Amino acid sequence: QVQLVESGGGLVQAGGSLRLSCAASGRTFSSYAMGWFRQAPGKEREFVVARSGGNTYYADSVKGRFTISRDNAKNTVYLQMNSLKPEDTAVYYCAAGIGPVTPQHRAVRPCEYDYWGQGTQVTVSS
């Protein structure tokens, strides 16, 4: 069983930055595909970014502003969010896939991931 715990959410003004962290349990963290999704009130869960093996996929809405990274020694994946906009406001979820999640048409689907964190709220004020 894998447990994911997100942190780093909060309230920020438009144009600001936040870094989300997702700490994972499990001895094989380095082999997991990792992704970030978000869900705004009244909307479906939306793909943000994923990294699987040597592949990284970004949603068009965040390309150039968000960056995913991982530290396998710390079993942690990060989401650096810059130039935040009010439309980025959502609960952000970390997800882990036991197997590879490629190509992109698979990485964007929540059903491809096996484990989920509880979410962290990001609010961007205008």
Side-chain angles (χ1 to χ4, degrees), residues 15-80:
S17 298
L18 281 175
R19 188 176 81 155
L20 305 184
S21 300
C22 173
S25 64
R27 291 174 290 177
T28 56
F29 171 78
S30 60
S31 68
Y32 299 155
M34 299 300 298
W36 288 93
F37 288 74
R38 65 188 181 187
Q39 189 164 18
K43 294 189 177 180
E44 292 187 353
R45 193 162 295 192
E46 175 189 31
F47 169 76
V48 176
V49 61
R51 175 169 287 178
S52 180
N55 301 292
T56 303
Y57 309 106
Y58 288 94
D60 288 344
S61 59
V62 306
K63 241 175 231 181
R65 301 188 298 122
F66 291 12
T67 304
I68 188 173
S69 61
R70 63 192 299 167
D71 185 337
N72 290 332
K74 295 183 178 179
N75 279 17
T76 301
V77 64
Y78 303 97
L79 180 64
Q80 178 66 43

